[in-house]
Amino acid sequence: MIAQKQLGSAWNRLFETGRVLRLAWKEQRECIADVHARLVPYLAAPPDTPPEYAVHADPIPSSAYTWRKNMFSSLFHAVYLLTGVSPVRRALYGRLIHLYRIWVVSADNLLDDEDKPVVPIAMPGQSRVMRQVVALMAADRVLAELLAENAAEGIVTAQQARDLSRDSLCRLLPSAAQEASEEGGIEVRPDPEHVLNVIHRLKTGLLFNLAFAAPERVEAGPFGQDGAGLKDALMEFGLGCQLLDDVRDMARDLRERRHNYVLSWLAANRPEMLDALGASISPFSDRLYLEVREAALPAARRGFAMMRDGLARLGRAGLGCDETDAEQMARMMFEVLDIPELCIP
């Protein structure tokens, strides 16, 4: 396997010395810091609260600002640089990117019984669920504050601010509906192409296009012309990432009866193998994909090709990576998404 240092060199170069991603990462870090500063007053319990029930925001650890932790957000922010969005609007849109991140990660934490850090909040007890609820409520208040400020300063109109407030939820509803359709487990595994091109476009592809929600409401002509290709490229990259997620999450998705491209491929092409996995009384390995390479490898190769092609299209649009870089960057995603054993040679 190619060494991790070599795999990451193209990403490192773009984030550390590249014109676009370096600036996008810098601006996105500033947006994260400002959103957190705005969250702090909303996360402070009244001063007369007994100490054992006090709540407050914790500082963001420095590790949260690394490019690896902000790879996707910085890619999204790069769209604004590539399409010539003004600095003041980039500042607003970048803050909205982080608010979307809070909403999506907090919702996923609630749905998947996870605790991925996104808003550091000190609360009594384990408080895994309540911290997510409070983070969601606080983020909504920061959204209202930001939109009011930007409208008052003339960066957006009052009507645009109202539109952005509405769209910040409406844009998430198809993805929410897709997640809701899996609650309690699915009964039938649809065709794998339906999983990729319909279900995963709502589940994940839509999230890779959220960066366009605000500028599509506010920016004039050139953004729409230049942004369409970038939107498609990010969608392709995002769907490729989701295919790798499906490979990695085979065991969980089989156990919890969730949609999964690889499991649908098995249902369509090797039903006896899927039945044998489902009938097994032994616990599934977290690396179940290693036991069914016949199905996992084609999915991994397709995901790799989609990530590579999406990154190459972003490169041609000005991101700063060529075809060789795009291929290397796509290979690194096998490490990022935690399936290093299947990295395409």
Side-chain angles (χ1 to χ4, degrees), residues 149-323:
E149 252 180 43
N150 279 264
E153 293 171 11
I155 296 169
V156 295
T157 67
Q159 183 58 53
Q160 286 170 338
R162 287 191 289 271
D163 291 342
L164 294 179
S165 178
R166 182 180 62 250
D167 275 8
S168 66
L169 176 58
C170 292
R171 294 279 183 134
L172 289 169
L173 291 180
S175 183
Q178 189 284 314
E179 290 280 1
S181 72
E182 294 186 74
E183 287 189 33
I186 61 171
E187 298 300 326
V188 176
R189 293 206 173 274
D191 181 83
E193 293 305 308
H194 180 83
V195 173
L196 176 62
N197 294 310
V198 177
I199 293 170
H200 283 350
R201 278 181 176 269
L202 296 176
K203 177 178 184 176
T204 300
L206 180 151
L207 303 182
F208 274 75
N209 279 174
L210 285 176
F212 297 85
E216 283 177 347
R217 280 286 183 182
V218 177
E219 302 299 322
F223 181 86
Q225 298 163 16
D226 298 339
L230 295 171
K231 194 173 185 179
D232 288 345
L234 280 172
M235 172 70 77
E236 187 170 21
F237 176 71
L239 289 175
C241 291
Q242 182 59 53
L243 282 179
L244 294 199
D245 278 349
D246 278 11
V247 173
R248 182 196 63 209
D249 294 338
M250 280 184 66
R252 186 202 68 177
D253 292 345
L254 180 59
R255 181 172 57 249
E256 299 179 7
R257 293 183 293 128
R258 300 185 183 203
H259 287 299
N260 182 293
Y261 176 88
V262 188
L263 295 176
S264 277
W265 187 93
L266 285 170
N269 297 281
R270 298 289 187 274
E272 70 288 350
M273 185 181 295
L274 182 61
D275 289 344
L277 290 173
S280 174
I281 60 173
S282 60
F284 300 129
S285 163
D286 286 342
R287 303 288 177 179
L288 181 62
Y289 55 85
L290 295 177
E291 301 175 24
V292 287
R293 288 176 179 265
E294 175 186 2
L297 276 172
R301 291 191 185 102
R302 187 172 186 180
F304 168 75
M306 294 179 76
M307 292 186 300
R308 179 199 62 205
D309 293 349
L311 289 167
R313 292 169 69 183
L314 291 171
R316 290 192 292 273
L319 189 64
C321 55
D322 60 21
E323 302 284 333

Side-chain angles (χ1 to χ4, degrees), residues 1-244:
M1 185 181 295
I2 297 173
Q4 174 65 18
K5 182 177 180 181
Q6 182 182 351
L7 283 176
S9 61
W11 284 108
N12 278 324
R13 177 176 59 78
L14 289 177
F15 275 102
E16 299 291 349
T17 63
R19 181 184 65 84
V20 175
L21 264 185
R22 179 182 58 172
L23 180 55
W25 177 37
K26 175 181 179 292
E27 292 188 356
Q28 195 57 37
R29 293 198 306 268
E30 293 168 356
C31 292
I32 293 169
D34 183 65
V35 167
H36 185 72
R38 292 171 182 272
L39 285 166
V40 170
Y42 297 110
L43 297 173
D48 59 349
T49 302
E52 63 270 28
Y53 297 108
V55 175
H56 62 82
D58 276 338
I60 298 180
S62 59
S63 60
Y65 290 109
T66 64
W67 69 258
R68 285 175 178 266
K69 293 288 180 68
N70 295 283
M71 179 186 295
F72 295 147
S73 295
S74 298
L75 272 178
F76 303 159
H77 195 100
V79 166
Y80 310 138
L81 294 163
L82 294 174
T83 52
V85 172
S86 68
V88 291
R89 287 202 178 133
R90 291 203 305 266
L92 170 60
Y93 302 158
R95 284 156 175 76
L96 294 179
I97 285 174
H98 193 58
L99 289 174
Y100 273 119
R101 184 174 177 178
I102 292 171
W103 292 320
V104 170
V105 173
S106 295
D108 280 348
N109 282 341
L110 290 170
L111 290 167
D112 298 337
D113 195 24
E114 294 178 341
D115 199 12
K116 296 173 185 173
V118 61
V119 179
I121 304 173
M123 299 184 78
Q126 295 183 353
S127 60
R128 185 194 63 78
V129 171
M130 188 50 69
R131 273 188 289 112
Q132 313 308 322
V133 173
V134 170
L136 289 166
M137 292 191 292
D140 275 357
R141 283 153 178 80
V142 169
L143 171 68
E145 179 183 302
L146 275 171
L147 293 178
E149 252 180 43
N150 279 264
E153 293 171 11
I155 296 169
V156 295
T157 67
Q159 183 58 53
Q160 286 170 338
R162 287 191 289 271
D163 291 342
L164 294 179
S165 178
R166 182 180 62 250
D167 275 8
S168 66
L169 176 58
C170 292
R171 294 279 183 134
L172 289 169
L173 291 180
S175 183
Q178 189 284 314
E179 290 280 1
S181 72
E182 294 186 74
E183 287 189 33
I186 61 171
E187 298 300 326
V188 176
R189 293 206 173 274
D191 181 83
E193 293 305 308
H194 180 83
V195 173
L196 176 62
N197 294 310
V198 177
I199 293 170
H200 283 350
R201 278 181 176 269
L202 296 176
K203 177 178 184 176
T204 300
L206 180 151
L207 303 182
F208 274 75
N209 279 174
L210 285 176
F212 297 85
E216 283 177 347
R217 280 286 183 182
V218 177
E219 302 299 322
F223 181 86
Q225 298 163 16
D226 298 339
L230 295 171
K231 194 173 185 179
D232 288 345
L234 280 172
M235 172 70 77
E236 187 170 21
F237 176 71
L239 289 175
C241 291
Q242 182 59 53
L243 282 179
L244 294 199

